[in-house]
Amino acid sequence: MYILGLSAYFHDSSVVLLDDDKILFAASEERFSRLKHDHSFPHNAIQECLRYTGIQFEEISEIVFYEKPLLKYERIIETQIRNFPQSFLQFLVSTPLWLKTKLNLRKTLRNEFLRFTETGKVPDIQFSYHHLSHAASAFYPSPFQESAVLCLDGVGEWSTATMWNGKGNQIDLIAEIKYPDSLGLFYSAFTSYCGFEINNGEYKLMGLASYGKPLYQELILENIIKVFEDGSFKLNQKFFAYNYSDYTFTKAWEELLGFPAINGESEPEQKYRDLAASAQKITEDIIFKMASTLKEKTGSENLCLAGGVALNCVANGKLAQNNIFKNIWIQPASGDDGGALGAALSLYYLKKKAPRDNTQIKNMMEGSLLGPSYSDDEIKKDLDKYGLKYKTFEYQQELIKECCKDIMDQKVIGWFQGRMEYGPRALGGRSIICDPRQSQMRDIINSKIKKRELFRPFGPIILEEDLSNYLENPLVSPYMLIVDQAKTNELAAVVHVDSSTRYQSLGVGDGRLLRKVLENLKREYSLSAIINTSFNIKGEPIVCTPDDSLRCFAETEMDVLYIGNFRIDKVGNNCERVEKPRFMND
Amino acid sequence: MIKQLYTKPDVTKNHWPRPFCDIDFFLRTIFAYFVHTIFLILASLMYFFIMGPLSLYLRQKDSAPSDQSNLHLVEKAEYEFTRMF
């Protein structure tokens, strides 16, 4: 039975195709449309899904959307009523949009799907719940037969934080916190106050927090947020404007803090760094308290995490180390992109009542490499189209050895191999890699390619068996969602100002080509780690197709590109014929 | 210069509509403004006369579960997938 899961119309539209409980394909629309956090209906992703899997649209028996649109509208209209008359402008803007498309979402979606079939038949569209989708995306792919599940995000229908108990194929809601009290929106307000974009800059605030001290923690706890012993909290709505406008915070912040919000992404002064550290500390404390409450309620040794807040890898790392739970598993696509997966899985297990025995399934997420891949013939067509010179390898081992040599020669390498990642992290499918031992490599990547804020750190990929050589409390981290303290300064380019590092570990059984590169690097050069950052330029989604990667390679000062079985060197190549990255044209 | 000013513009090169030369475009624009104005008036009236009293009622109803917690406990949740609500 083929089940298509869908998330759309808020941010990070995505599509997932299941064959029973096997994930055949999962990808976000932004990778194909080249618009970051694209919220539109995922036409391109669905088209690519059908192409890649070779499945006809008519073969799909179930389609499920990741949330309940009418419950969401109920929340919106009730919030507007509660905030009368400040909500007048928001009411005028949002009402026509909802009346036109979202209130009759079943029909809107059906019309969108009609372009994939000539028969005019579309399966009945079904609807999951926003937080159920998050919880299902965390629990069902996890290796646990029973587990506590914690979901934290901005808001779905009404819930902003939920606690669940998962067992077998069942997942039961235990408790929830409802809108307008939201940890995700609390964090977003600080993100915005420090000059970063909401839904895009939260990880920048997390990086900035390492440079500050939580000097404003008490002030915030006394005025902005009240935290209870069980981890629940209440926001003082005097300080928040998201109920009635597009802004998250009110002027009361400036009166309380004594300094204004940053307008635009300028270099934040120390007081903003302290503010970021305060928000981060409060967020961590709330997560720990909620985890303790959940532990009490479920008695489980296992915890699964999902929701946008679960991408806070600093909090995840501390949670993993404080031993409230013995084992932790975090969904790599924790944001709304993962909602598509959770919706499909919840339908399969809860509605179809399919049995679940994950003791046999070691890696249901397949390292989160669930997007499209491209054959060498397809790649060669693009290389020839732009008239690029390249080298091909007769044996894989030759490619591996040459790549290791390039790493040792301090080159910045584009790495395009196998299937594309699902979720916001580059995990060795579409990455930029290089030697992590020299601290100047961070500046070189920044000046040559990424052009991002200097306070943001890069992370390494480390061989799982050698984690203890580099980290204080090594834990398996297959999805780069955990931060730990570095043991030494050996990997200088990936150690943050507070000696922390956000790392990905590659296990012994991992089939990724990058694992073989690391093994060879260890054998020949006694190095078990490399810098891993996403293959894109600032403002661009991670590259998806060979064409995207060639455009990014040509636009930047990247030295070498390993794409499929080909090596392209910038030296001796004329990249003028290669077009600009597509997002620059849009 | 004067001659240039009074020369009739070359419409094949200019893609912008010329409202007072294109009566169809002119009427459609007026109609669109008319419809939007009606919508704005109706929406405003609805907003102020319906939402005002409702907001007072909802604000009275609004409260946290207790003084010690804001956690809403759920005894038994059932899920169904066919409805949009």
Side-chain angles (χ1 to χ4, degrees):
Chain A
M1 175 174 49
Y2 295 122
I3 303 171
L4 189 103
L6 188 77
S7 66
Y9 303 125
F10 189 39
H11 54 84
D12 298 307
S13 297
S14 292
V15 68
V16 166
L17 185 64
L18 298 185
D19 179 8
D20 290 341
D21 60 349
K22 182 171 171 50
I23 307 168
L24 298 181
F25 183 94
S28 298
E29 177 69 1
E30 64 159 30
R31 305 292 168 88
F32 306 96
S33 67
R34 310 307 297 156
L35 298 170
K36 218 167 181 186
H37 304 297
D38 194 349
H39 65 274
S40 59
F41 183 86
H43 286 121
N44 300 295
I46 295 171
Q47 205 163 17
E48 185 59 25
C49 171
L50 298 175
R51 181 199 74 84
Y52 182 79
T53 57
I55 288 165
Q56 300 294 311
F57 182 77
E58 291 76 18
E59 293 178 70
I60 296 168
S61 49
E62 308 278 351
I63 295 177
V64 55
F65 190 68
Y66 80 127
E67 63 182 12
K68 298 273 191 192
L70 293 187
L71 277 183
K72 191 169 181 174
Y73 187 61
E74 179 196 58
R75 189 253 301 161
I76 289 170
I77 198 80
E78 193 171 320
T79 306
Q80 285 173 350
I81 293 169
R82 278 171 196 264
N83 290 280
F84 173 87
Q86 291 157 299
S87 58
F88 181 55
L89 273 178
Q90 198 190 48
F91 173 80
L92 281 184
V93 173
S94 71
T95 306
L97 183 70
W98 273 90
L99 291 176
K100 198 176 166 189
T101 53
K102 295 187 180 179
L103 276 186
N104 201 359
L105 197 62
R106 198 188 297 272
K107 191 179 169 192
T108 308
L109 290 174
R110 194 177 179 281
N111 289 340
E112 296 284 8
F113 278 115
L114 278 175
R115 60 172 85 176
F116 298 103
T117 175
E118 287 170 2
T119 63
K121 286 181 185 168
V122 175
D124 270 347
I125 294 161
Q126 308 191 57
F127 299 86
S128 180
Y129 301 77
H130 191 100
H131 266 247
L132 175 64
S133 297
H134 277 315
S137 77
F139 175 60
Y140 292 127
S142 78
F144 312 133
Q145 193 60 20
E146 62 78 29
S147 174
V149 184
L150 182 60
C151 300
L152 299 158
D153 74 349
V155 62
E157 292 97 2
W158 278 102
S159 307
T160 63
T162 45
M163 296 177 176
W164 306 75
N165 192 10
K167 196 171 184 182
N169 68 352
Q170 280 302 308
I171 184 163
D172 296 313
L173 180 62
I174 301 170
E176 62 181 332
I177 296 174
K178 290 183 179 180
Y179 188 86
D181 300 308
S182 163
L183 188 58
L185 294 174
F186 167 80
Y187 203 81
S188 291
F190 285 90
T191 302
S192 181
Y193 205 80
C194 290
F196 306 120
E197 199 183 333
I198 299 166
N199 287 333
N200 189 33
E202 280 75 3
Y203 59 100
K204 296 180 186 175
L205 189 80
M206 188 179 70
L208 186 69
S210 299
Y211 289 85
K213 289 179 181 164
L215 302 180
Y216 299 97
Q217 187 181 358
E218 288 306 313
L219 190 68
I220 294 166
L221 287 171
E222 280 166 17
N223 294 281
I224 298 180
I225 186 169
K226 184 177 181 184
V227 182
F228 300 103
E229 268 313 297
D230 60 3
S232 62
F233 51 87
K234 197 145 185 64
L235 299 182
N236 183 351
Q237 293 302 323
K238 181 186 149 193
F239 290 90
F240 296 93
Y242 53 75
N243 277 323
Y244 52 83
S245 73
D246 288 339
Y247 299 99
T248 45
F249 56 84
T250 61
K251 284 182 179 168
W253 283 57
E254 197 173 324
E255 289 160 23
L256 180 73
L257 298 168
F259 54 88
I262 297 181
N263 196 5
E265 290 196 14
S266 56
E267 185 72 17
E269 296 166 39
Q270 188 57 42
K271 55 194 171 195
Y272 294 98
R273 298 169 184 205
D274 294 335
L275 189 65
S278 309
Q280 177 66 26
K281 179 75 173 56
I282 292 167
T283 303
E284 286 167 13
D285 289 346
I286 289 172
I287 294 173
F288 299 159
K289 284 182 175 174
M290 287 186 95
S292 300
T293 304
L294 188 54
K295 169 84 178 175
E296 273 173 34
K297 288 185 184 296
T298 61
S300 178
E301 293 286 340
N302 309 315
L303 174 68
C304 296
L305 285 173
V309 180
L311 293 170
N312 191 317
C313 42
V314 176
N316 293 345
K318 291 179 182 170
L319 183 63
Q321 280 152 24
N322 69 9
N323 291 323
I324 300 170
F325 288 91
K326 203 171 167 185
N327 309 300
I328 292 185
W329 193 87
I330 307 158
Q331 166 56 239
S334 272
D336 282 3
D337 45 355
L341 173 64
L345 287 170
S346 61
L347 185 92
Y348 179 69
Y349 286 115
L350 294 176
K351 187 174 181 186
K352 303 290 171 189
K353 301 189 189 309
R356 172 177 178 267
D357 182 6
N358 269 26
T359 48
Q360 302 301 316
I361 304 167
K362 289 216 172 104
N363 187 8
M364 189 174 173
M365 287 298 292
E366 297 188 20
S368 209
L369 301 175
L370 297 164
S373 66
Y374 300 87
S375 68
D376 281 345
D377 286 342
E378 287 171 299
I379 294 168
K380 191 171 177 302
K381 266 185 204 164
D382 280 326
L383 291 170
D384 293 339
K385 179 175 80 181
Y386 293 128
L388 292 169
K389 293 175 194 164
Y390 50 83
K391 179 179 176 180
T392 51
F393 298 92
E394 202 169 336
Y395 301 104
Q396 196 180 62
Q397 195 57 27
E398 288 175 28
L399 182 150
I400 292 167
K401 279 181 175 286
E402 186 134 359
C403 181
C404 289
K405 190 175 171 301
D406 283 334
I407 292 169
M408 285 297 122
D409 289 343
Q410 308 297 302
K411 288 183 179 168
V412 178
I413 300 163
W415 184 257
F416 184 103
Q417 301 290 339
R419 297 186 72 174
M420 185 182 71
E421 298 87 347
Y422 176 48
R425 303 267 177 265
L427 300 168
R430 308 284 186 273
S431 293
I432 292 169
I433 56 172
C434 58
D435 189 344
R437 292 170 301 177
Q438 309 294 328
S439 61
Q440 63 265 31
M441 282 311 287
R442 181 173 44 206
D443 304 327
I444 290 170
I445 300 179
N446 249 334
S447 63
K448 283 188 171 182
I449 301 154
K450 304 292 277 189
K451 320 270 184 208
R452 66 191 205 184
E453 298 82 358
L454 292 174
F455 61 81
R456 286 172 55 199
F458 290 102
I461 296 185
I462 306 174
L463 285 176
E464 196 175 295
E465 59 271 30
D466 294 332
L467 286 175
S468 56
N469 296 346
Y470 302 106
L471 304 168
E472 289 287 351
N473 303 292
L475 293 166
V476 173
S477 170
Y479 305 121
M480 215 177 204
L481 287 170
I482 285 180
V483 162
D484 191 17
Q485 291 300 113
K487 218 176 204 176
T488 65
N489 210 27
E490 191 184 337
L491 308 179
V494 289
V495 176
H496 202 22
V497 65
D498 58 354
S499 302
S500 67
T501 185
R502 177 169 57 93
Y503 64 99
Q504 181 192 356
S505 60
L506 285 184
V508 175
D510 198 289
R512 255 167 280 215
L513 186 58
L514 210 50
R515 163 86 202 179
K516 293 178 184 170
V517 170
L518 275 163
E519 283 171 357
N520 192 70
L521 208 56
K522 182 184 175 185
R523 204 163 38 240
E524 292 191 11
Y525 304 99
S526 305
L527 178 66
S528 308
I530 48 172
I531 291 182
N532 170 36
T533 185
S534 54
F535 195 156
N536 59 344
I537 316 171
K538 190 180 180 187
E540 183 190 23
I542 297 176
V543 298
C544 174
T545 63
D547 186 59
D548 295 333
S549 70
L550 292 175
R551 289 174 188 229
C552 183
F553 175 69
E555 181 68 20
T556 62
E557 293 176 55
M558 210 179 289
D559 298 308
V560 191
L561 172 63
Y562 284 88
I563 177 167
N565 195 33
F566 305 96
R567 178 185 183 274
I568 302 135
D569 202 322
K570 197 55 91 39
V571 178
N573 249 315
N574 181 5
C575 293
E576 279 176 10
R577 281 180 61 190
V578 182
E579 293 168 61
K580 282 199 169 298
R582 282 190 285 159
F583 85 109
M584 288 181 167
N585 304 326
D586 293 331
Chain B
M1 182 68 180
I2 292 168
K3 195 182 171 191
Q4 271 182 344
L5 277 175
Y6 284 93
T7 306
K8 199 178 172 186
D10 183 0
V11 287
T12 57
K13 287 179 184 169
N14 184 1
H15 294 285
W16 290 101
R18 294 173 301 133
F20 295 101
C21 303
D22 184 345
I23 191 69
D24 182 45
F25 176 80
F26 181 69
L27 288 175
R28 275 189 289 125
T29 309
I30 294 288
F31 182 71
Y33 279 129
F34 179 70
V35 168
H36 276 94
T37 310
I38 293 283
F39 171 79
L40 282 175
I41 292 167
L42 286 176
S44 308
L45 286 172
M46 193 182 99
Y47 182 83
F48 283 102
F49 287 102
I50 298 175
M51 292 171 92
L54 270 175
S55 73
L56 290 173
Y57 167 73
L58 284 171
R59 278 179 204 167
Q60 279 175 349
K61 212 177 76 168
D62 188 27
S63 63
S66 79
D67 292 341
Q68 303 299 315
S69 171
N70 192 19
L71 211 53
H72 298 253
L73 299 176
V74 181
E75 281 188 17
K76 177 77 182 162
E78 288 192 2
Y79 302 106
E80 67 79 42
F81 291 85
T82 48
R83 293 200 303 259
M84 283 168 55
F85 53 89

